[in-house]
Amino acid sequence: MEDNHAMIRDLRPHRIPGPSSRRCASIGIAALCTLCLLPGTLLAQAPAGAGAKLVPIPIQLPKPMFEGTPQNLTVPNLQKPLGRPRDPFLAPAGVTNVAKGKKVTSSDTEPVIGEIEQVTDGDKKGAEGSFVELGPGVQHVTVDLGATHEVFAVLFWHFHKTPRVYLDVVVQLADDADFKKNVRTVFNNDHDNTSGLGAGKDMNFVETAEGKLVDAKGSRARYVRVYSRGNNANELNHYVEVEVFGRPAK
Ligand SMILES: [Ca+2]
Ligand SMILES: [Ca+2]
């Protein structure tokens, strides 16, 4: 009997942490449950149209004109080159470049070199003869998609013969050719509002054969406009190509 009492006494201290251990276990289970809920939470935050099959947009890149990371570019707020190919950009299956061959207008009606039609002619080569040169200062090109489209991405090449940074780049979508109706800015790196379109928070970037891809998030628009204000090498503005990945709006 005495041995049994001794055993019970010995057991008592061990019982005390019991409930606390169970509390710990409960907290642990609660934490696990919270973790289990997280994927559901993330799904709830997925963009509208979730469930539709997303595939990489069919980008065809031109041949690079230079290799490696550009050096000695003294441009503020400059995005560090990725050092590897850009990740695929996903959009609903069937989204294509709807800008190809479409009508283009420009703030410069008499380009210094080339023709404004070159902006959507499908030629994306970096060589001489494959870009249009617009005058100095703030200039833009506007692509008319011909009808309202769901726009998922705007991809453009100013110039990629040598590494360059074009200044005060702004990309806008609108319902009308004059950019008065339902204007939306999807990219703006004019951080000090030099061009008067509003101050933007996007970073400056080095032009390469990959072009600059801007997420337009499926916005509905007929007109796509890209602004710039010269580049780090001269005051002129250039365009090799502007592509708009989208599909006709239903
Ligand atoms: Ca072109
Ligand atoms: Ca500026």
Side-chain angles (χ1 to χ4, degrees):
M1 283 299 285
E2 202 179 319
D3 282 348
N4 281 346
H5 285 300
M7 268 180 71
I8 289 162
R9 275 199 304 274
D10 284 344
L11 284 170
R12 273 174 196 152
H14 297 293
R15 282 181 191 151
I16 294 162
S20 140
S21 293
R22 280 198 293 274
R23 273 199 300 273
C24 287
S26 301
I27 292 162
I29 288 162
L32 276 171
C33 288
T34 308
L35 284 171
C36 293
L37 286 171
L38 272 175
T41 312
L42 291 174
L43 272 178
Q45 288 169 351
K53 191 170 184 279
L54 297 180
V55 298
I57 57 172
I59 296 173
Q60 291 183 318
L61 294 181
K63 191 166 157 265
M65 301 291 282
F66 57 89
E67 298 285 337
T69 306
Q71 303 293 327
N72 308 321
L73 288 172
T74 52
V75 175
N77 194 32
L78 187 62
Q79 192 173 43
K80 198 175 164 219
L82 204 53
R84 59 175 169 80
R86 178 175 54 220
D87 290 334
F89 183 89
L90 302 181
V95 164
T96 58
N97 172 25
V98 292
K100 176 91 179 281
K102 294 285 168 67
K103 188 185 161 201
V104 187
T105 53
S106 175
S107 50
D108 187 348
T109 53
E110 292 182 4
V112 183
I113 299 171
E115 304 295 334
I116 203 69
E117 290 76 19
Q118 288 177 272
V119 173
T120 56
D121 69 353
D123 174 6
K124 294 173 263 186
K125 289 194 292 292
E128 296 287 338
S130 290
F131 56 81
V132 57
E133 182 175 84
L134 309 177
V138 179
Q139 301 285 2
H140 66 73
V141 295
T142 302
V143 180
D144 177 1
L145 301 175
T148 305
H149 283 70
E150 283 182 284
V151 178
F152 293 91
V154 181
L155 175 60
F156 52 96
W157 296 256
H158 283 116
F159 183 92
H160 63 96
K161 193 178 168 205
T162 56
R164 266 191 199 173
V165 179
Y166 282 74
L167 304 170
D168 297 338
V169 174
V170 180
V171 182
Q172 291 185 332
L173 311 176
D175 291 352
D176 66 322
D178 295 328
F179 279 70
K180 292 196 167 26
K181 290 177 194 163
N182 197 17
V183 179
R184 286 141 291 163
T185 300
V186 291
F187 183 89
N188 183 344
N189 66 16
D190 182 9
H191 66 97
D192 55 358
N193 196 21
T194 318
S195 300
L197 298 161
K201 289 184 176 169
D202 291 301
M203 294 184 82
N204 287 315
F205 57 93
V206 180
E207 297 274 339
T208 71
E210 276 200 321
K212 178 65 177 177
L213 191 148
V214 169
D215 187 351
K217 299 181 166 59
S219 306
R220 292 162 71 95
R222 173 170 168 175
Y223 297 89
V224 178
R225 179 173 283 184
V226 185
Y227 290 88
S228 60
R229 189 182 59 82
N231 63 83
N232 68 315
N234 58 59
E235 293 185 330
L236 301 167
N237 297 276
H238 305 89
Y239 284 90
V240 168
E241 190 81 4
V242 174
E243 295 188 332
V244 178
F245 285 86
R247 61 183 177 185
K250 285 173 189 143

PDB file of all heavy atoms in Angstrom, residues 41-62:
ATOM      1  N   THR A  41      -7.731  31.197 -48.260  1.00  0.00           N
ATOM      2  CA  THR A  41      -7.693  32.656 -48.199  1.00  0.00           C
ATOM      3  C   THR A  41      -7.044  33.203 -49.468  1.00  0.00           C
ATOM      4  O   THR A  41      -7.531  34.139 -50.075  1.00  0.00           O
ATOM      5  CB  THR A  41      -6.887  33.102 -46.965  1.00  0.00           C
ATOM      6  OG1 THR A  41      -7.347  32.369 -45.851  1.00  0.00           O
ATOM      7  CG2 THR A  41      -7.053  34.580 -46.711  1.00  0.00           C
ATOM      8  N   LEU A  42      -5.928  32.562 -49.871  1.00  0.00           N
ATOM      9  CA  LEU A  42      -5.214  33.026 -51.061  1.00  0.00           C
ATOM     10  C   LEU A  42      -6.094  32.872 -52.301  1.00  0.00           C
ATOM     11  O   LEU A  42      -6.131  33.745 -53.147  1.00  0.00           O
ATOM     12  CB  LEU A  42      -3.904  32.248 -51.245  1.00  0.00           C
ATOM     13  CG  LEU A  42      -2.832  32.536 -50.192  1.00  0.00           C
ATOM     14  CD1 LEU A  42      -1.651  31.604 -50.381  1.00  0.00           C
ATOM     15  CD2 LEU A  42      -2.365  33.998 -50.272  1.00  0.00           C
ATOM     16  N   LEU A  43      -6.828  31.745 -52.366  1.00  0.00           N
ATOM     17  CA  LEU A  43      -7.707  31.521 -53.512  1.00  0.00           C
ATOM     18  C   LEU A  43      -8.763  32.604 -53.581  1.00  0.00           C
ATOM     19  O   LEU A  43      -9.071  33.100 -54.655  1.00  0.00           O
ATOM     20  CB  LEU A  43      -8.388  30.152 -53.387  1.00  0.00           C
ATOM     21  CG  LEU A  43      -7.630  28.965 -53.972  1.00  0.00           C
ATOM     22  CD1 LEU A  43      -8.395  27.685 -53.736  1.00  0.00           C
ATOM     23  CD2 LEU A  43      -7.387  29.151 -55.464  1.00  0.00           C
ATOM     24  N   ALA A  44      -9.259  32.996 -52.398  1.00  0.00           N
ATOM     25  CA  ALA A  44     -10.304  34.018 -52.359  1.00  0.00           C
ATOM     26  C   ALA A  44      -9.783  35.349 -52.893  1.00  0.00           C
ATOM     27  O   ALA A  44     -10.549  36.159 -53.386  1.00  0.00           O
ATOM     28  CB  ALA A  44     -10.803  34.192 -50.932  1.00  0.00           C
ATOM     29  N   GLN A  45      -8.443  35.540 -52.804  1.00  0.00           N
ATOM     30  CA  GLN A  45      -7.856  36.807 -53.258  1.00  0.00           C
ATOM     31  C   GLN A  45      -7.429  36.751 -54.732  1.00  0.00           C
ATOM     32  O   GLN A  45      -6.944  37.730 -55.257  1.00  0.00           O
ATOM     33  CB  GLN A  45      -6.632  37.158 -52.395  1.00  0.00           C
ATOM     34  CG  GLN A  45      -7.031  37.585 -50.992  1.00  0.00           C
ATOM     35  CD  GLN A  45      -5.855  37.684 -50.068  1.00  0.00           C
ATOM     36  OE1 GLN A  45      -4.755  37.276 -50.413  1.00  0.00           O
ATOM     37  NE2 GLN A  45      -6.067  38.238 -48.896  1.00  0.00           N
ATOM     38  N   ALA A  46      -7.598  35.591 -55.362  1.00  0.00           N
ATOM     39  CA  ALA A  46      -7.202  35.474 -56.770  1.00  0.00           C
ATOM     40  C   ALA A  46      -8.049  36.426 -57.606  1.00  0.00           C
ATOM     41  O   ALA A  46      -9.183  36.722 -57.249  1.00  0.00           O
ATOM     42  CB  ALA A  46      -7.391  34.036 -57.243  1.00  0.00           C
ATOM     43  N   PRO A  47      -7.490  36.936 -58.734  1.00  0.00           N
ATOM     44  CA  PRO A  47      -8.218  37.910 -59.535  1.00  0.00           C
ATOM     45  C   PRO A  47      -9.493  37.321 -60.129  1.00  0.00           C
ATOM     46  O   PRO A  47      -9.633  36.114 -60.234  1.00  0.00           O
ATOM     47  CB  PRO A  47      -7.223  38.282 -60.635  1.00  0.00           C
ATOM     48  CG  PRO A  47      -6.235  37.174 -60.665  1.00  0.00           C
ATOM     49  CD  PRO A  47      -6.187  36.600 -59.285  1.00  0.00           C
ATOM     50  N   ALA A  48     -10.374  38.210 -60.519  1.00  0.00           N
ATOM     51  CA  ALA A  48     -11.618  37.786 -61.158  1.00  0.00           C
ATOM     52  C   ALA A  48     -11.281  36.963 -62.390  1.00  0.00           C
ATOM     53  O   ALA A  48     -10.292  37.240 -63.074  1.00  0.00           O
ATOM     54  CB  ALA A  48     -12.433  39.009 -61.559  1.00  0.00           C
ATOM     55  N   GLY A  49     -12.067  35.969 -62.679  1.00  0.00           N
ATOM     56  CA  GLY A  49     -11.761  35.116 -63.815  1.00  0.00           C
ATOM     57  C   GLY A  49     -10.927  33.915 -63.409  1.00  0.00           C
ATOM     58  O   GLY A  49     -10.515  33.132 -64.235  1.00  0.00           O
ATOM     59  N   ALA A  50     -10.673  33.798 -62.069  1.00  0.00           N
ATOM     60  CA  ALA A  50      -9.935  32.637 -61.577  1.00  0.00           C
ATOM     61  C   ALA A  50     -10.733  31.400 -61.957  1.00  0.00           C
ATOM     62  O   ALA A  50     -11.954  31.404 -61.891  1.00  0.00           O
ATOM     63  CB  ALA A  50      -9.741  32.732 -60.079  1.00  0.00           C
ATOM     64  N   GLY A  51     -10.025  30.369 -62.333  1.00  0.00           N
ATOM     65  CA  GLY A  51     -10.714  29.185 -62.802  1.00  0.00           C
ATOM     66  C   GLY A  51     -10.555  29.069 -64.307  1.00  0.00           C
ATOM     67  O   GLY A  51     -10.504  27.975 -64.828  1.00  0.00           O
ATOM     68  N   ALA A  52     -10.454  30.226 -64.998  1.00  0.00           N
ATOM     69  CA  ALA A  52     -10.151  30.203 -66.422  1.00  0.00           C
ATOM     70  C   ALA A  52      -8.704  29.728 -66.576  1.00  0.00           C
ATOM     71  O   ALA A  52      -7.881  30.013 -65.721  1.00  0.00           O
ATOM     72  CB  ALA A  52     -10.315  31.593 -67.024  1.00  0.00           C
ATOM     73  N   LYS A  53      -8.426  29.018 -67.645  1.00  0.00           N
ATOM     74  CA  LYS A  53      -7.086  28.484 -67.835  1.00  0.00           C
ATOM     75  C   LYS A  53      -6.119  29.613 -68.196  1.00  0.00           C
ATOM     76  O   LYS A  53      -6.362  30.357 -69.155  1.00  0.00           O
ATOM     77  CB  LYS A  53      -7.109  27.441 -68.947  1.00  0.00           C
ATOM     78  CG  LYS A  53      -5.829  26.642 -69.050  1.00  0.00           C
ATOM     79  CD  LYS A  53      -6.009  25.470 -70.006  1.00  0.00           C
ATOM     80  CE  LYS A  53      -4.784  24.587 -70.058  1.00  0.00           C
ATOM     81  NZ  LYS A  53      -3.722  25.060 -70.912  1.00  0.00           N
ATOM     82  N   LEU A  54      -5.068  29.765 -67.381  1.00  0.00           N
ATOM     83  CA  LEU A  54      -4.065  30.796 -67.653  1.00  0.00           C
ATOM     84  C   LEU A  54      -2.852  30.149 -68.305  1.00  0.00           C
ATOM     85  O   LEU A  54      -2.387  29.106 -67.851  1.00  0.00           O
ATOM     86  CB  LEU A  54      -3.653  31.501 -66.360  1.00  0.00           C
ATOM     87  CG  LEU A  54      -4.755  32.275 -65.626  1.00  0.00           C
ATOM     88  CD1 LEU A  54      -4.202  32.914 -64.365  1.00  0.00           C
ATOM     89  CD2 LEU A  54      -5.384  33.329 -66.534  1.00  0.00           C
ATOM     90  N   VAL A  55      -2.372  30.765 -69.362  1.00  0.00           N
ATOM     91  CA  VAL A  55      -1.214  30.246 -70.088  1.00  0.00           C
ATOM     92  C   VAL A  55      -0.262  31.410 -70.375  1.00  0.00           C
ATOM     93  O   VAL A  55      -0.676  32.563 -70.382  1.00  0.00           O
ATOM     94  CB  VAL A  55      -1.635  29.568 -71.418  1.00  0.00           C
ATOM     95  CG1 VAL A  55      -2.538  28.368 -71.161  1.00  0.00           C
ATOM     96  CG2 VAL A  55      -2.325  30.561 -72.341  1.00  0.00           C
ATOM     97  N   PRO A  56       1.026  31.123 -70.635  1.00  0.00           N
ATOM     98  CA  PRO A  56       1.949  32.215 -70.982  1.00  0.00           C
ATOM     99  C   PRO A  56       1.507  32.901 -72.280  1.00  0.00           C
ATOM    100  O   PRO A  56       1.126  32.215 -73.231  1.00  0.00           O
ATOM    101  CB  PRO A  56       3.295  31.505 -71.169  1.00  0.00           C
ATOM    102  CG  PRO A  56       3.161  30.211 -70.435  1.00  0.00           C
ATOM    103  CD  PRO A  56       1.709  29.828 -70.564  1.00  0.00           C
ATOM    104  N   ILE A  57       1.540  34.229 -72.295  1.00  0.00           N
ATOM    105  CA  ILE A  57       1.202  34.940 -73.542  1.00  0.00           C
ATOM    106  C   ILE A  57       2.292  34.631 -74.581  1.00  0.00           C
ATOM    107  O   ILE A  57       3.461  34.453 -74.225  1.00  0.00           O
ATOM    108  CB  ILE A  57       1.023  36.464 -73.337  1.00  0.00           C
ATOM    109  CG1 ILE A  57       2.277  37.102 -72.715  1.00  0.00           C
ATOM    110  CG2 ILE A  57      -0.213  36.751 -72.493  1.00  0.00           C
ATOM    111  CD1 ILE A  57       2.226  38.626 -72.670  1.00  0.00           C
ATOM    112  N   PRO A  58       1.890  34.540 -75.860  1.00  0.00           N
ATOM    113  CA  PRO A  58       2.844  34.092 -76.896  1.00  0.00           C
ATOM    114  C   PRO A  58       3.783  35.212 -77.365  1.00  0.00           C
ATOM    115  O   PRO A  58       3.595  35.801 -78.426  1.00  0.00           O
ATOM    116  CB  PRO A  58       1.918  33.634 -78.030  1.00  0.00           C
ATOM    117  CG  PRO A  58       0.678  34.457 -77.859  1.00  0.00           C
ATOM    118  CD  PRO A  58       0.527  34.743 -76.397  1.00  0.00           C
ATOM    119  N   ILE A  59       4.803  35.490 -76.553  1.00  0.00           N
ATOM    120  CA  ILE A  59       5.771  36.551 -76.884  1.00  0.00           C
ATOM    121  C   ILE A  59       6.857  35.986 -77.799  1.00  0.00           C
ATOM    122  O   ILE A  59       7.406  34.926 -77.522  1.00  0.00           O
ATOM    123  CB  ILE A  59       6.428  37.106 -75.595  1.00  0.00           C
ATOM    124  CG1 ILE A  59       5.376  37.780 -74.706  1.00  0.00           C
ATOM    125  CG2 ILE A  59       7.561  38.065 -75.924  1.00  0.00           C
ATOM    126  CD1 ILE A  59       5.900  38.215 -73.353  1.00  0.00           C
ATOM    127  N   GLN A  60       7.136  36.697 -78.874  1.00  0.00           N
ATOM    128  CA  GLN A  60       8.246  36.320 -79.755  1.00  0.00           C
ATOM    129  C   GLN A  60       9.293  37.418 -79.681  1.00  0.00           C
ATOM    130  O   GLN A  60       9.031  38.558 -80.084  1.00  0.00           O
ATOM    131  CB  GLN A  60       7.746  36.146 -81.190  1.00  0.00           C
ATOM    132  CG  GLN A  60       6.846  34.912 -81.329  1.00  0.00           C
ATOM    133  CD  GLN A  60       6.395  34.693 -82.759  1.00  0.00           C
ATOM    134  OE1 GLN A  60       6.031  35.633 -83.465  1.00  0.00           O
ATOM    135  NE2 GLN A  60       6.425  33.447 -83.184  1.00  0.00           N
ATOM    136  N   LEU A  61      10.448  37.080 -79.142  1.00  0.00           N
ATOM    137  CA  LEU A  61      11.484  38.089 -78.912  1.00  0.00           C
ATOM    138  C   LEU A  61      12.421  38.217 -80.111  1.00  0.00           C
ATOM    139  O   LEU A  61      12.736  37.227 -80.770  1.00  0.00           O
ATOM    140  CB  LEU A  61      12.309  37.721 -77.679  1.00  0.00           C
ATOM    141  CG  LEU A  61      11.559  37.742 -76.345  1.00  0.00           C
ATOM    142  CD1 LEU A  61      12.506  37.373 -75.209  1.00  0.00           C
ATOM    143  CD2 LEU A  61      10.926  39.106 -76.090  1.00  0.00           C
ATOM    144  N   PRO A  62      12.867  39.444 -80.381  1.00  0.00           N
ATOM    145  CA  PRO A  62      13.869  39.638 -81.435  1.00  0.00           C
ATOM    146  C   PRO A  62      15.253  39.204 -80.934  1.00  0.00           C
ATOM    147  O   PRO A  62      15.438  38.946 -79.751  1.00  0.00           O
ATOM    148  CB  PRO A  62      13.823  41.148 -81.670  1.00  0.00           C
ATOM    149  CG  PRO A  62      13.406  41.712 -80.355  1.00  0.00           C
ATOM    150  CD  PRO A  62      12.497  40.697 -79.724  1.00  0.00           C
TER     151      PRO A  62
END
